[in-house]
Amino acid sequence: MKLPHMRRRTRLLRNLLLALLLCAAAWLAMGCPCFTAGAAFRRMEKQYLTGGPAEIVATLDARTEYLTVGLKDDYVLIAANGRVSTDILADGLLRIPYWAPGILRCFPRKEESTLLFCGNYRYDASYSRADPVFFLLDRHPEAAEAEMTLRLAGEVELNGVSVAFDETYSARAARVGEGIFLLCPPAKETEQMSFGWQRERAMFNRIFGSIFGRNDSLPVFEAAVRYYDAGGALLAEERVAMDARMI
Amino acid sequence: MEPRRGNAAAADDKTPAGAAHERIAAWSRAAAREIRFRPDRKAVEAELSAHLEDRAQALLASGMGEDEAAEVSVAAMGDAREIGRALSRIHSPLLGWLWVASKWLVVSALCFLLLAARADWLASGFLEGSTSLEWSGAQLLKLPAAEPVRAGDYRISVRRAAFRNGVLWVTVRAAGAPWLGAPKALASYLGAADSLGGVYGENTDENGAAVRYAGERRALFWYEYDVTVSPCPADAAWVELRYDRMGVRFALCVPLSEGGEP
């Protein structure tokens, strides 16, 4: 069958269109990956039927994952997207990085300051292991820094042994977006001021695992936060709510 | 431009040969050399040669000598450089190189598609799924021709339902664009209510009345979830699947008997 003769300009357009279609088919074959963390967050919003786009207020690069925090009037959305590199050709000769939609955690938003635990992530290059990530949701837009004290008391099973604990920790928090603080990772020199991630991490993870897993044996939980302005002056001091129940 | 073979090839005894052929080739080469887009030169040269040799062959047939026929043909074409410059305007280098690039683009895109399809992405891909429901042998319920309900970017509908031994089996389909992916919250947050006032919770209740996830399938434009609603009273006229979370709310009715719509 003889194809109709086409002018070079027409053939050029045909080829461009064909290449575009082939690329679209390849993207489809790849499972329609997202190429930015923001796009992955927006797609997850649709997948989780959140009823409209949230305002993205903070992002946290946790190496292999990317935490994105979105605020709506009634909800807080925290997405963990995996940053994936897929080798098209062996030995990384052709590698395509993209964002895989992961987990979207939805919390009800409250009037008071709220502590949100969103899992363990490696969000600091100096850490060899993943650490708990806490976001503090606030209603003090003028606050530049915050300090939180947290008292935990109860009993937890560690390696088959029941351990009673009653500890009070403190941690500083830095603003990462409008309406949201990230509890700072403990610097080595100020370890004693921190939540004690290094020493108490296993217990901490277990405790918050219990809370997160809706375990019945919840520990005593008391938390308070002090907000400071940019000059270091105390703005407010209030109790912190922690509703680990996601919706 | 495709090279054209003249009738000269079919008539060896009358083909301009030797010096005549060389004269035609030299003229064609000189004209083609004026074309700035090099990849086109060979094809243009072949086209011009074929044309001139056809013309010379016609002159040969009329009784003219070989050398004279070649000379007359070439002379009729005019100045080789002038013709070449005119052809050069048609064979623009910009358009030419763009066309060459577009060919490589198509080849690259095709290779990329084949590699992408070969990768594990498709292995977990479309038209697959699992279900623990045994639809074969179950008597399907007659569903009303209802319009799908809208939930976000998905269109939700009940594809099929069966009722057996106090368990209602339902396949819920969420149709949407291929790039949307699975509606992850759908199966997890479905509740139900029946016409007798019974309420069925989400997956969490193992022993009581509950809507439970039982499997899923997917294709390019839709996802299907199988859920069971149990224990369902046999005298209920209908069961309504309900979703109400984060401001998104819809209900899908499954009549258990003829005319059993709420």
Side-chain angles (χ1 to χ4, degrees):
Chain A
M1 189 179 73
K2 194 178 175 184
L3 293 172
H5 180 75
M6 284 190 280
R7 294 177 62 190
R8 180 163 285 172
R9 200 180 296 267
T10 316
R11 275 181 287 171
L12 172 66
L13 287 174
R14 178 202 62 190
N15 285 358
L16 289 177
L17 192 68
L18 195 58
L20 202 67
L21 286 173
L22 289 170
C23 286
W27 179 69
L28 209 62
M30 288 167 68
C32 312
C34 302
F35 296 108
T36 65
F41 178 81
R42 292 291 177 221
R43 187 178 294 172
M44 273 198 285
E45 282 186 317
K46 290 175 180 173
Q47 289 177 344
Y48 280 82
L49 301 174
T50 60
E55 183 193 358
I56 296 175
V57 291
T59 50
L60 180 67
D61 189 350
R63 287 203 180 177
T64 54
E65 279 166 298
Y66 212 85
L67 300 178
T68 309
V69 185
L71 291 185
K72 297 186 75 174
D73 287 344
D74 303 328
Y75 307 101
V76 187
L77 310 177
I78 301 178
N81 304 314
R83 182 158 38 194
V84 186
S85 286
T86 298
D87 286 345
I88 303 280
L89 292 177
D91 302 326
L93 288 174
L94 179 55
R95 178 172 289 173
I96 296 191
Y98 63 93
W99 297 91
I103 302 168
L104 184 72
R105 299 185 172 99
C106 309
F107 301 93
R109 202 171 168 185
K110 298 179 174 180
E111 282 303 314
E112 59 206 313
S113 298
T114 311
L115 185 65
L116 304 173
F117 171 60
C118 37
N120 295 335
Y121 296 96
R122 285 182 65 185
Y123 58 101
D124 190 293
S126 65
Y127 290 179
S128 57
R129 289 164 60 182
D131 284 299
V133 172
F134 296 92
F135 284 109
L136 177 67
L137 211 63
D138 76 298
R139 301 270 183 181
H140 299 276
E142 69 280 17
E145 207 175 307
E147 187 178 19
M148 212 184 82
T149 54
L150 174 69
R151 178 174 171 255
L152 290 170
E155 212 166 89
V156 67
E157 262 200 25
L158 291 175
N159 301 323
V161 180
S162 186
V163 180
F165 61 91
D166 188 345
E167 301 273 358
T168 301
Y169 306 98
S170 67
R172 282 203 298 272
R175 187 174 283 292
V176 288
E178 194 179 330
I180 195 137
F181 281 90
L182 170 68
L183 290 196
C184 290
K188 280 175 186 162
E189 61 272 21
T190 60
E191 197 174 319
Q192 67 278 12
M193 290 290 292
S194 74
F195 275 157
W197 258 257
Q198 306 300 324
R199 185 170 57 83
E200 306 283 354
R201 183 161 60 193
M203 180 183 287
F204 225 93
N205 289 355
R206 186 61 64 90
I207 293 164
F208 277 95
S210 300
I211 297 171
F212 211 60
R214 302 179 190 181
N215 197 307
D216 289 337
S217 57
L218 289 178
V220 174
F221 175 84
E222 288 175 18
V225 63
R226 289 176 178 171
Y227 293 104
Y228 300 94
D229 65 12
L234 183 67
L235 286 173
E237 183 172 4
E238 55 188 57
R239 290 179 64 83
V240 177
M242 180 167 175
D243 189 353
R245 287 172 301 168
M246 293 184 294
I247 51 165
Chain B
M1 190 182 290
E2 286 296 317
R4 201 178 61 188
R5 296 202 182 281
N7 295 332
D12 287 344
D13 53 335
K14 294 196 174 179
T15 302
H21 184 78
E22 185 51 41
R23 175 79 181 99
I24 287 172
W27 189 94
S28 304
R29 209 163 30 247
R33 205 178 294 132
E34 293 298 314
I35 294 172
R36 286 177 294 158
F37 183 56
R38 281 172 181 266
D40 274 1
R41 285 182 185 175
K42 217 168 187 175
V44 170
E45 188 183 328
E47 172 102 20
L48 289 171
S49 288
H51 174 73
L52 286 171
E53 287 188 9
D54 279 353
R55 173 92 178 129
Q57 190 196 2
L59 292 172
L60 271 176
S62 68
M64 200 177 277
E66 284 180 2
D67 290 346
E68 194 186 354
E71 197 58 46
V72 170
S73 304
V74 164
M77 289 293 283
D79 181 46
R81 294 187 65 185
E82 200 174 313
I83 296 289
R85 279 195 290 274
L87 287 169
S88 183
R89 281 193 289 276
I90 299 167
H91 294 263
S92 150
L94 176 68
L95 201 61
W97 286 120
L98 278 176
W99 179 61
V100 170
S102 77
K103 284 199 287 190
W104 279 106
L105 194 66
V106 169
V107 171
S108 307
L110 188 62
C111 290
F112 182 60
L113 170 61
L114 293 174
L115 289 166
R118 177 198 61 95
D120 291 338
W121 296 317
L122 263 194
S124 62
F126 301 113
L127 298 168
E128 68 161 17
S130 67
T131 181
S132 60
L133 299 185
E134 291 175 11
W135 290 97
S136 57
Q139 191 176 354
L140 297 180
L141 294 170
K142 191 177 177 185
L143 297 171
E147 283 291 312
V149 295
R150 195 94 205 166
D153 288 21
Y154 297 95
R155 278 175 293 111
I156 317 285
S157 58
V158 171
R159 298 298 297 174
R160 55 182 174 172
F163 185 67
R164 193 166 60 183
N165 300 332
V167 181
L168 174 66
W169 303 348
V170 186
T171 294
V172 179
R173 176 178 284 190
W179 51 84
L180 270 178
K184 294 182 179 177
L186 182 62
S188 310
Y189 294 94
L190 268 181
D194 63 35
S195 58
L196 303 176
V199 177
Y200 306 79
E202 296 162 8
N203 286 325
T204 50
D205 191 350
E206 287 298 324
N207 302 313
V211 178
R212 293 187 181 88
Y213 166 86
E216 64 186 84
R217 284 168 302 281
R218 62 173 171 164
L220 197 58
F221 291 98
W222 51 257
Y223 282 75
E224 279 186 352
Y225 293 95
D226 293 330
V227 294
T228 60
V229 183
S230 65
C232 216
D235 51 347
W238 49 261
V239 169
E240 195 174 63
L241 293 174
R242 291 173 177 173
Y243 182 94
D244 185 3
R245 178 176 177 264
M246 297 186 76
V248 176
R249 185 176 299 136
F250 65 84
L252 297 160
C253 182
V254 182
L256 302 183
S257 57
E258 290 287 339
E261 286 188 66

